[in-house]
């Protein structure tokens, strides 16, 4: 049985949620795993008339019979998860027996969110990172720093009160400089102890050893789907640092975050839009901060799932996607939002960058260089036809098929899934080799 991962190849919001839902439903997946990131993610899944927005719980929860794991690489916000559980249960989706959360996940506390808020207005790197304000960076920093970290297993341990008191005393000293960003409740040890102990008690039936569960599953040949959060260009080690998130969001993060050897991952889908979006700060070479970008935003309804922020929009960047597809080990592309570019009078694809007059086809490691690159574009005539109800490749206009083939060629990976709208039915699956 294959182990399949679904990885975003741009700066997030590529529609990973739609692809995970689709594969979970169509490919007899037994388990879906969220292995990194936290409530910064916002995955939208449209099923019939219903729209679901998930931040922490894997999208596999929407497919009956699928088990869902939240594994050690995640930073975990208990309030968000309890809210999601209540929302799903209220809509008739059972969660309790279908969600297992590792006691090893690190817990996001109010001081992380307060610090995220304080740091976000600070322009230490010249421009704000524009985080989702979910406390992600400070929580991961505490995890790697170890001394002030609290994991989910601690919430249900008898040492929890002592642990909270130690950490709050430490935070009072460490966060002295951010006093105005903190409310009295953010560092009220007794209040936080009672609130989080209660969260722990509610979650206790769902806390369990995901590592053993997962290793047993892969050894028993069950089909596991790994759901990426964020996008590969936001990867802490391989992305556009420092304008990144704080986890390994590219394909190389699956193994460490899930707790599974890489050899169990036999198929990697890379998800990319037929254009590019980015939320928050940082360079974006193909950005169209002009009427074209505005048109893409309105056609694609490009507003954040988590924060509601308008997403920055621009052309497809084949330099960046080729890099992230190779890094993530992608062997099949899911090309999304073909319906959106189908309305544009012309479509551009960035095939190379120019840096100081020299043509390059790699993503520079230094942010100052990435800021200075000038995209080299190929321009394609638009076909301006509604493709959103098309279900077979042959129905697509010739121009659309040529663009798909060119994107495959530039990225070096066949397009295996094409998406022409948010719904499950608006998908063209398993394209024949001629289309690749
Ligand atoms: P994720 O974070 O990668 O899961 O992506 P988001 O859910 O944040 O954003 C993707 C958005 O695009 C969602 O609102 C989806 O419902 C929507 N969507 C998915 N596929 C398509 C598509 O092919 N066309 C259009 N127009 N929208 C799509
Ligand atoms: P999904 O899973 C798009 C961006 C933020 C910011 C940077 C750091 O829905 O694709 P963080 O809060 O993680 O410290 O913010 O990363 N970012 C995302 N952008 N989609 C996401 O998740 C994102 N998660 C974080 O906008 O630029
Ligand atoms: Mg999203």
């Amino acid at each position: 049985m294959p182990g399949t991962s679904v990885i975003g190849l741009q700066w997030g919001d590529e529609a990973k949620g739609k692809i995970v839902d689709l594969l979970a439903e169509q490919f007899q997946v037994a388990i879906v795993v969220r292995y990194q990131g936290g409530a910064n993610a916002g995955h939208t899944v449209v099923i019939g008339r219903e729209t679901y927005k998930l931040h922490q719980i894997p999208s596999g929860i929407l497919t009956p019979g699928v088990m869902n794991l939240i594994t050690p690489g995640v930073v975990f916000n208990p309030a968000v998860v309890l809210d999601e559980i209540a929302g799903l249960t209220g809509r008739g989706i059972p969660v309790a027996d279908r969600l297992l959360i590792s006691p090893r996940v690190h817990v996001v506390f109010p001081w992380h969110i307060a610090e995220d808020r304080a740091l976000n207005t600070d322009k230490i790197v010249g421009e704000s990172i524009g985080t989702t304000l979910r406390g992600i960076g400070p929580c991961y920093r505490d995890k790697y720093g170890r001394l002030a970290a609290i994991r989910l297993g601690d919430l249900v341990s008898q040492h929890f009160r002592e642990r909270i008191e130690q950490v709050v005393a430490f935070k009072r000293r460490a966060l002295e400089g951010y006093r105005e960003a903190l409310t009295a409740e953010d560092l009220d040890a007794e209040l936080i102890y009672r609130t989080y102990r209660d969260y722990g008690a509610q979650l206790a039936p769902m806390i369990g050893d995901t590592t053993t569960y997962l290793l047993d599953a892969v050894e028993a040949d069950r089909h596991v789907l790994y759901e990426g959060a964020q996008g590969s260009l936001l990867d802490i080690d391989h992305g556009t640092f420092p304008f990144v998130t704080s986890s390994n969001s590219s394909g190389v993060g699956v193994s460490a975050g899930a707790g599974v050897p890489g050899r169990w991952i036999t198929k990697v889908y890379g998800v990319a839009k037929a254009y590019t979006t980015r939320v928050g700060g940082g360079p974006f070479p193909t950005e169209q901060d002009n009427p074209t970008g505005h048109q893409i935003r309105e056609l694609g309804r490009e507003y954040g799932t988590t924060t509601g922020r308008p997403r920055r929009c621009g052309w497809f960047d084949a330099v960046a996607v080729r890099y992230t597809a190779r890094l993530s080990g992608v062997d099949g592309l899911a090309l999304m939002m073909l319906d959106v570019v189908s309305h544009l009078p012309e479509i551009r694809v960035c095939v190379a960058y120019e840096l100081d007059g020299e043509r390059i086809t790699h993503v520079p490691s230094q942010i100052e260089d990435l800021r200075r690159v000038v995209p080299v574009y190929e321009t394609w005539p638009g076909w301006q036809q509604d493709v959103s109800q098309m279900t077979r490749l042959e129905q697509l206009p010739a121009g659309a098929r040529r663009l798909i083939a060119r994107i495959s060629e530039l990225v070096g990976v066949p397009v295996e899934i094409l998406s022409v709208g948010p719904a499950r039915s608006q998908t063209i699956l398993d394209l024949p080799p001629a289309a690749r």
Side-chain angles (χ1 to χ4, degrees):
M1 264 294 182
T4 304
S5 52
V6 174
I7 305 295
L9 297 182
Q10 295 160 322
W11 279 289
D13 303 324
E14 298 89 350
K16 300 172 289 293
K18 167 170 172 167
I19 296 301
V20 168
D21 171 64
L22 197 80
L23 297 177
E25 200 238 357
Q26 301 227 342
F27 288 6
Q28 277 131 36
V29 164
I31 301 166
V32 176
V33 178
R34 255 302 294 280
Y35 57 89
Q36 46 74 227
N40 48 351
H43 298 174
T44 313
V45 180
V46 178
I47 304 175
R49 289 167 183 275
E50 299 291 314
T51 298
Y52 300 90
K53 293 181 189 299
L54 296 162
H55 301 284
Q56 287 255 229
I57 295 182
S59 302
I61 204 74
L62 302 172
T63 303
V66 170
M67 185 64 188
N68 295 273
L69 308 185
I70 299 180
T71 60
V74 163
V75 289
F76 185 84
N77 186 321
V80 169
V81 172
L82 288 167
D83 232 40
E84 285 188 354
I85 293 173
L88 288 164
T89 312
R91 293 171 78 176
I93 294 165
V95 177
D97 298 335
R98 302 176 47 229
L99 180 63
L100 189 66
I101 311 160
S102 173
R104 293 184 165 96
V105 294
H106 283 252
V107 177
V108 176
F109 281 90
W111 49 80
H112 293 132
I113 292 168
E115 198 186 343
D116 201 0
R117 217 182 302 123
L119 286 170
N120 205 41
T121 52
D122 212 320
K123 301 212 168 49
I124 312 168
V125 286
E127 172 187 3
S128 167
I129 290 177
T131 74
T132 59
L133 303 179
R134 296 300 185 270
I136 305 298
C139 185
Y140 273 117
R141 200 205 41 220
D142 277 347
K143 162 177 163 167
Y144 286 97
R146 293 154 297 169
L147 300 178
I150 300 180
R151 305 195 299 175
L152 185 59
D154 297 324
L155 264 56
V156 289
S157 107
Q158 55 182 338
H159 305 293
F160 184 46
R161 181 189 285 273
E162 190 188 345
R163 188 76 195 115
I164 282 285
E165 282 167 2
Q166 289 166 337
V167 173
V168 167
F170 168 77
K171 287 286 172 187
R172 279 187 187 284
R173 298 196 301 276
L175 295 178
E176 194 55 30
Y178 300 129
R179 215 177 313 154
E180 60 288 15
L182 291 154
T183 64
E185 289 84 44
D186 289 338
L187 289 176
D188 180 335
E190 183 59 28
L191 176 68
I192 292 170
Y193 166 71
R194 279 191 274 111
T195 309
Y196 280 71
R197 181 197 55 187
D198 184 46
Y199 292 154
Q202 291 182 66
L203 291 165
M206 287 168 263
I207 302 176
D209 183 357
T210 60
T211 310
T212 304
Y213 189 99
L214 192 54
L215 291 172
D216 287 347
V218 294
E219 286 165 9
D221 237 14
R222 299 177 77 200
H223 188 175
V224 182
L225 192 60
Y226 301 90
E227 174 175 355
Q230 290 77 55
S232 299
L233 293 170
L234 290 170
D235 187 291
I236 182 79
D237 291 309
H238 308 287
T240 52
F241 191 87
F243 298 96
V244 293
T245 190
S246 299
S247 64
N248 286 117
S249 50
S250 70
V252 299
V254 179
S255 186
V260 74
R263 71 188 166 94
W264 294 108
I265 299 151
T266 50
K267 175 84 195 172
V268 183
Y269 283 105
V271 190
K273 294 175 185 178
Y275 50 91
T276 312
T277 62
R278 171 160 214 181
V279 196
F284 176 178
T286 62
E287 180 168 21
Q288 299 299 301
D289 189 10
N290 56 30
T292 300
H294 181 79
Q295 192 182 6
I296 295 173
R297 181 179 310 120
E298 294 314 311
L299 286 167
R301 288 191 293 275
E302 293 292 356
Y303 293 88
T305 307
T306 301
T307 57
R309 288 180 288 177
R311 295 171 180 155
R312 299 160 64 192
C313 296
W315 297 119
F316 186 85
D317 184 341
V319 175
V321 175
R322 180 176 165 77
Y323 163 59
T324 54
R326 294 174 74 196
L327 172 72
S328 298
V330 169
D331 51 7
L333 272 184
L335 188 64
M336 315 304 287
M337 312 281 187
L338 197 68
D339 55 315
V340 172
V341 294
S342 292
H343 292 291
L344 302 176
E346 65 170 34
I347 297 157
R348 292 185 174 203
V349 172
C350 167
V351 297
Y353 299 147
E354 265 183 20
L355 180 60
D356 302 332
E358 198 186 324
R359 192 177 166 112
I360 60 168
T361 51
H362 67 274
V363 178
S365 62
Q366 297 304 112
I367 208 72
E368 303 78 26
D369 291 341
L370 190 63
R371 276 194 204 288
R372 287 186 300 119
V373 302
V374 179
V376 177
Y377 288 114
E378 271 178 14
T379 303
W380 294 73
W383 44 90
Q384 291 186 285
Q385 196 179 327
D386 181 2
V387 300
S388 65
Q389 302 310 316
M390 295 183 180
T391 52
R392 291 196 324 277
L393 187 73
E394 311 83 72
Q395 295 173 310
L396 291 175
R401 279 181 280 153
R402 276 198 295 272
L403 179 73
I404 295 158
R406 182 64 177 139
I407 287 178
S408 282
E409 183 182 40
L410 288 165
V411 176
V413 177
V415 173
E416 294 182 359
I417 302 175
L418 260 182
S419 178
V420 294
R424 278 176 175 173
S425 58
Q426 292 174 298
T427 315
I428 304 174
L429 265 173
D430 277 330
L431 301 173
R436 294 174 183 171

